[in-house]
Amino acid sequence: MFMKRPLIILILIFMGVFLLAQPPASVAVVTKVRGNVEIRKGSSNPVFSPVKAGQLLNDEDFIRTGANAFAVLIYLDDKSMVKLKGDTNLEIRGKKVGKGLEKNLEITGGTIRAVVSQQRRGEFTVTSPTSVASVKGTSFWIVSNSQTGDQVYNEEGVVQLTNLTSGDIVDLLANQTGISTTDGGLSVAETIAANVPIDEDDSGREPRELRIRFKDSDGTEKVLIIKYN
């Protein structure tokens, strides 16, 4: 009995090391890059490196875009799309909960557009220092500034916007703009079209095809076919 205990401990240690050594499941893929776009792999890694189209993204990967840069990423489970304009800092989050994938984009500054597929399981949220935007399926912009707050331009569906200072909550309907300020203010107005950021990805070109091989959170190998401009 005495000899078995060290053996069991060694087996448990080996299993722990083996599990830690497994690469994390990919949650998204970069489909387009223009200009200076860099990535930091994981929250504990201080090193940034250039991003390339076709690069897979894991939970806690951090992307930053330089001035006049642009990038597009797509979540692998449902093809929800996120577009980053220049001078944007964004951490990609995706954790499996039950049979769904909870997605959270943590933006510390900049401008993104999210085109979110209908979320049957899990949630899709965008978190800034000022606000949380929660959606089930919609298309919207968020312009975030850590000093002043956020402007959220909802294009369709419903966006639930929460101000983290005051705790106030509003529902943004189609063509409504939510303004969430760092002092706790939260207001809704009809969207002024001239204020909405320009989508630099609407090029009108014939779509190209990108094939991505990846393992999902269950370890199953899959091939994702993405058509994009």
Side-chain angles (χ1 to χ4, degrees), residues 16 19 41-42 66 122 161 173 214 226:
L19 290 173
K41 299 292 292 181
L161 183 63
L173 306 180
F214 68 100
I226 299 172

Side-chain angles (χ1 to χ4, degrees), residues 6 22 36-37 41 49 56 58 83 94 119 124 144 154 164 198 204 226:
Q22 298 306 297
N36 182 26
V37 182
K41 299 292 292 181
S49 58
L56 292 170
N58 302 325
K83 301 180 179 184
Q119 302 296 292
F124 192 110
S144 183
N154 188 28
L164 293 175
I198 297 173
I226 299 172

Side-chain angles (χ1 to χ4, degrees), residues 69-86:
F70 181 74
V72 180
L73 65 91
I74 294 178
Y75 275 94
L76 297 172
D77 65 329
D78 62 6
K79 298 186 180 179
S80 290
M81 180 185 299
V82 182
K83 301 180 179 184
L84 294 76
K85 291 175 72 72

Side-chain angles (χ1 to χ4, degrees), residues 75-81 99-103 114-125 134-140 154 156-159:
Y75 275 94
L76 297 172
D77 65 329
D78 62 6
K79 298 186 180 179
S80 290
M81 180 185 299
K99 294 183 178 180
L101 184 67
E102 286 195 354
K103 311 175 187 72
V115 182
V116 183
S117 302
Q118 186 67 33
Q119 302 296 292
R120 293 181 175 84
R121 298 187 179 95
E123 294 183 348
F124 192 110
T125 59
S134 177
V135 304
K136 287 295 183 184
T138 184
S139 172
F140 68 99
N154 188 28
E156 60 184 41
V158 179
V159 174

Side-chain angles (χ1 to χ4, degrees), residues 39-153:
I39 186 172
R40 183 187 69 205
K41 299 292 292 181
S43 58
S44 61
N45 180 13
V47 179
F48 280 87
S49 58
V51 174
K52 297 180 180 179
Q55 184 165 355
L56 292 170
L57 304 174
N58 302 325
D59 181 48
E60 298 186 356
D61 284 353
F62 187 94
I63 292 180
R64 65 185 183 189
T65 58
N68 301 316
F70 181 74
V72 180
L73 65 91
I74 294 178
Y75 275 94
L76 297 172
D77 65 329
D78 62 6
K79 298 186 180 179
S80 290
M81 180 185 299
V82 182
K83 301 180 179 184
L84 294 76
K85 291 175 72 72
D87 294 319
T88 296
N89 297 313
L90 187 71
E91 185 172 295
I92 312 303
R93 306 304 300 268
K95 290 185 179 295
K96 185 179 179 184
V97 177
K99 294 183 178 180
L101 184 67
E102 286 195 354
K103 311 175 187 72
N104 180 35
L105 303 172
E106 296 189 0
I107 182 171
T108 53
T111 303
I112 65 171
R113 183 187 184 207
V115 182
V116 183
S117 302
Q118 186 67 33
Q119 302 296 292
R120 293 181 175 84
R121 298 187 179 95
E123 294 183 348
F124 192 110
T125 59
V126 179
T127 303
S128 77
T130 305
S131 318
V132 175
S134 177
V135 304
K136 287 295 183 184
T138 184
S139 172
F140 68 99
W141 289 89
I142 180 168
V143 181
S144 183
N145 184 304
S146 61
Q147 301 300 314
T148 58
D150 306 321
Q151 293 85 48
V152 179
Y153 303 97

Side-chain angles (χ1 to χ4, degrees), residues 106-228:
E106 296 189 0
I107 182 171
T108 53
T111 303
I112 65 171
R113 183 187 184 207
V115 182
V116 183
S117 302
Q118 186 67 33
Q119 302 296 292
R120 293 181 175 84
R121 298 187 179 95
E123 294 183 348
F124 192 110
T125 59
V126 179
T127 303
S128 77
T130 305
S131 318
V132 175
S134 177
V135 304
K136 287 295 183 184
T138 184
S139 172
F140 68 99
W141 289 89
I142 180 168
V143 181
S144 183
N145 184 304
S146 61
Q147 301 300 314
T148 58
D150 306 321
Q151 293 85 48
V152 179
Y153 303 97
N154 188 28
E155 297 176 321
E156 60 184 41
V158 179
V159 174
Q160 185 181 82
L161 183 63
T162 303
N163 184 284
L164 293 175
T165 299
S166 63
D168 291 342
I169 301 174
V170 296
D171 285 338
L172 303 180
L173 306 180
N175 300 315
Q176 288 188 332
T177 298
I179 299 176
S180 180
T181 59
T182 54
D183 61 2
L186 187 61
S187 61
V188 180
E190 292 298 313
T191 294
I192 299 173
N195 292 342
V196 180
I198 297 173
D199 190 339
E200 302 170 55
D201 197 37
D202 286 344
S203 58
R205 295 179 296 178
E206 288 297 317
R208 290 177 287 175
E209 186 175 280
L210 181 66
R211 291 174 177 260
I212 303 295
R213 295 183 179 275
F214 68 100
K215 288 185 179 181
D216 65 13
S217 54
D218 292 323
T220 305
E221 289 193 1
K222 294 183 177 180
V223 177
L224 177 67
I225 300 175
I226 299 172
K227 293 185 177 181
Y228 66 100

